[in-house]
Amino acid sequence: MDHTKPRTDPRIVRTRQLLKDAFIDLLEEMEIEKISVNRIAERATINRVTFYLHYRDIPDMMDKMADEMVEDMQRALDESPPIDSDRGDSLILLNLLEHIADNAKFYKVILGSRRTPVFTERMLKMLSDSVKRRIEQFGMNDSMVDAGIQKDVAIWYGSAALIGTIVAWLRNDMPYTPTYLAKQFTMLRAYPQWRSTEGV
Amino acid sequence: MDHTKPRTDPRIVRTRQLLKDAFIDLLEEMEIEKISVNRIAERATINRVTFYLHYRDIPDMMDKMADEMVEDMQRALDESPPIDSDRGDSLILLNLLEHIADNAKFYKVILGSRRTPVFTERMLKMLSDSVKRRIEQFGMNDSMVDAGIQKDVAIWYGSAALIGTIVAWLRNDMPYTPTYLAKQFTMLRAYPQWRSTEGV
DNA sequence: TTAATTATCTAACACATTGTAAATTAAGTC
DNA sequence: GACTTAATTTACAATGTGTTAGATAATTAA
């Protein structure tokens, strides 16, 4: 089999980049309901017909952008050092947080927008898969097992807490450094979270 | 001032109910992008023009439905007994979970749909306000304060974990009873969640 | 029960958006 | 420089949007 990739035509790269940039641009300015293929093409200075040569429709474009986002995030996670130190867990997350901070404009628009759930959905899936793998590899905390906590509930809880915190962090214009936030995660996991008289 | 409410015309009640039911119906069948005012009116056996007598457009309709949803949820929370027993916290949540279970069809469609973030957004806001009020009333756990956990991060983390777990519970067709899930919440808050070698 | 009120329906309109097609021009590859 | 492929232009039918004006039906008040 020939795996020499054909090196895509620069025109394709250029067009897709222009379209994606235009989309992010528009998302900053208006609700997604108001964004049409017309507007995207106009903003990208690309003919509308050309849009359809690359994407079936806007949701299809968003799907593909979400694919790329997840790939980037996964790459950031994979670049992390192996877990060996006792602070390994926060270090892994740190790389992800730093990757997000480095591309803050993109992530703030895409994850912070109130009407683009595709992206948060995909990120949630990635993180919960990741949490799941680790739980299956290492098992749960003994005290959790003893207490009768269901594995799937722990996965739902943990991954939702992660992504929700990251999204809130972005929406609030990242008031903490990635390092500081990563430490907060470690502590939130390490300490019981509420007194018995609290909670919703 | 005269506060005798004018008792809304039954035709208005009927029409709005038909429109909302039709919308939920369609959301079960197709992605929101494919739902038009045309289709909603047709399914509701209501003239399309009549739709515009009640709502400005589809997002406006969703906003109003989200308002009503939050009102219902808040009512369920308010009906809860005051916190006096040492299991008070899980009992409060229990009423919310039971309310959701009682209206499972509606909530599964509305919160489970991958493209209707308005509703999860609003629920997140309500829950995080609720978590915030309690934290401000009772303060955080001493061990959390000592560890230097930020109040806002704790709020983000806790409310995102709550809503994410509830949404996952719905999407998985509620494999646990409300009571059981409420207990899981209590335990997840009471025990450290990961060993030091775990986490994303 | 009748009269007044108000919600819904009908038909029509201008306009935007969608998705596709065929022929032409421009850019990139070999 | 010849070949290949991407992007453009122009055009089209179909669908959706939001609004208007007048007719009809249901509700309420006298």
Side-chain angles (χ1 to χ4, degrees):
Chain A
M1 274 185 287
D2 188 2
H3 275 290
T4 51
K5 58 183 69 172
R7 214 169 68 261
T8 41
D9 194 315
R11 287 172 293 180
I12 294 183
V13 177
R14 184 190 115 98
T15 297
R16 293 200 180 146
Q17 197 56 53
L18 285 171
L19 287 172
K20 285 183 277 186
D21 288 348
F23 181 66
I24 298 293
D25 231 49
L26 290 170
L27 257 184
E28 267 187 316
E29 293 172 26
M30 61 189 72
E31 297 285 359
I32 191 152
E33 292 89 3
K34 296 291 165 201
I35 299 182
S36 62
V37 175
N38 253 324
R39 269 203 243 264
I40 296 174
E42 189 178 42
R43 179 67 59 99
T45 61
I46 290 291
N47 195 283
R48 186 174 68 87
V49 175
T50 307
F51 177 95
Y52 292 103
L53 296 176
H54 295 273
Y55 306 110
R56 198 172 59 259
D57 49 25
I58 292 175
D60 179 54
M61 182 189 188
M62 290 172 73
D63 278 344
K64 294 194 166 133
M65 289 177 75
D67 284 342
E68 294 166 20
M69 177 194 75
V70 172
E71 277 170 30
D72 290 345
M73 285 183 167
Q74 193 65 59
R75 199 172 303 123
L77 278 178
D78 293 345
E79 276 170 7
S80 302
I83 316 174
D84 46 14
S85 78
D86 60 334
R87 279 170 36 219
D89 51 344
S90 68
L91 285 179
I92 287 182
L93 197 55
L94 180 56
N95 272 35
L96 178 60
L97 295 177
E98 275 172 347
H99 162 71
I100 292 174
D102 289 344
N103 301 276
K105 192 211 160 190
F106 173 82
Y107 283 112
K108 185 171 161 59
V109 173
I110 225 67
L111 293 178
S113 279
R114 269 126 184 93
R115 322 248 173 169
T116 50
V118 202
F119 297 93
T120 33
E121 279 298 331
R122 295 293 298 279
M123 184 175 171
L124 176 61
K125 178 148 185 16
M126 188 209 71
L127 285 177
S128 78
D129 285 350
S130 196
V131 169
K132 194 178 168 194
R133 272 197 303 276
R134 279 167 197 286
I135 283 196
E136 276 164 1
Q137 190 178 355
F138 297 108
M140 291 196 296
N141 193 318
D142 289 341
S143 63
M144 291 173 75
V145 175
D146 293 345
I149 291 173
Q150 296 291 328
K151 196 158 64 174
D152 53 356
V153 177
I155 293 169
W156 298 342
Y157 192 91
S159 50
L162 271 184
I163 194 171
T165 306
I166 293 174
V167 169
W169 175 63
L170 279 169
R171 286 189 183 163
N172 287 278
D173 294 314
M174 304 187 292
Y176 308 111
T177 64
T179 311
Y180 188 80
L181 188 62
K183 277 182 195 149
Q184 294 275 312
F185 276 122
T186 311
M187 292 186 293
L188 277 164
R189 288 192 203 116
Y191 296 97
Q193 281 162 65
W194 314 107
R195 291 202 285 228
S196 62
T197 46
E198 289 171 35
V200 177
Chain B
M1 275 184 283
D2 188 2
H3 275 291
T4 52
K5 58 183 72 171
R7 214 170 66 261
T8 42
D9 194 317
R11 288 171 294 179
I12 294 183
V13 178
R14 184 189 115 98
T15 298
R16 292 198 181 147
Q17 197 56 53
L18 285 171
L19 287 172
K20 286 183 276 187
D21 288 348
F23 180 66
I24 299 292
D25 232 50
L26 290 170
L27 257 184
E28 268 186 315
E29 293 172 27
M30 60 188 72
E31 296 286 1
I32 191 151
E33 292 89 3
K34 296 291 165 201
I35 299 181
S36 62
V37 175
N38 254 324
R39 269 204 243 265
I40 296 173
E42 189 178 42
R43 178 67 58 100
T45 60
I46 290 291
N47 193 282
R48 186 173 69 88
V49 175
T50 307
F51 176 95
Y52 291 103
L53 295 176
H54 294 273
Y55 306 108
R56 200 173 57 259
D57 48 25
I58 291 175
D60 179 55
M61 182 189 189
M62 289 172 72
D63 278 344
K64 297 200 164 127
M65 289 177 76
D67 284 341
E68 294 166 19
M69 178 194 76
V70 171
E71 277 170 29
D72 290 345
M73 285 184 167
Q74 193 65 59
R75 198 173 303 123
L77 278 177
D78 292 344
E79 275 170 7
S80 302
I83 316 173
D84 45 16
S85 79
D86 59 334
R87 279 171 36 218
D89 51 342
S90 69
L91 283 179
I92 287 182
L93 197 54
L94 180 56
N95 272 35
L96 177 60
L97 294 177
E98 275 172 347
H99 163 72
I100 292 174
D102 289 345
N103 301 275
K105 192 210 160 190
F106 173 81
Y107 283 111
K108 185 173 161 57
V109 173
I110 225 67
L111 293 178
S113 280
R114 269 128 185 89
R115 323 247 173 168
T116 51
V118 201
F119 296 92
T120 34
E121 278 298 330
R122 295 294 298 277
M123 183 175 170
L124 176 61
K125 177 147 185 18
M126 188 208 71
L127 285 177
S128 77
D129 285 350
S130 196
V131 169
K132 193 179 169 195
R133 272 197 304 275
R134 279 167 196 285
I135 283 194
E136 276 165 1
Q137 189 177 355
F138 296 109
M140 291 197 297
N141 194 316
D142 289 340
S143 62
M144 292 171 75
V145 176
D146 293 345
I149 292 172
Q150 295 292 328
K151 196 159 63 171
D152 53 356
V153 177
I155 293 169
W156 298 341
Y157 191 91
S159 50
L162 271 183
I163 194 170
T165 306
I166 292 173
V167 169
W169 175 62
L170 280 168
R171 287 189 182 161
N172 287 278
D173 294 314
M174 303 185 293
Y176 308 110
T177 64
T179 311
Y180 188 81
L181 187 61
K183 278 183 195 147
Q184 294 275 311
F185 276 123
T186 310
M187 292 186 294
L188 277 164
R189 288 194 204 115
Y191 297 97
Q193 281 162 62
W194 315 107
R195 293 201 287 230
S196 61
T197 46
E198 288 170 38
V200 177

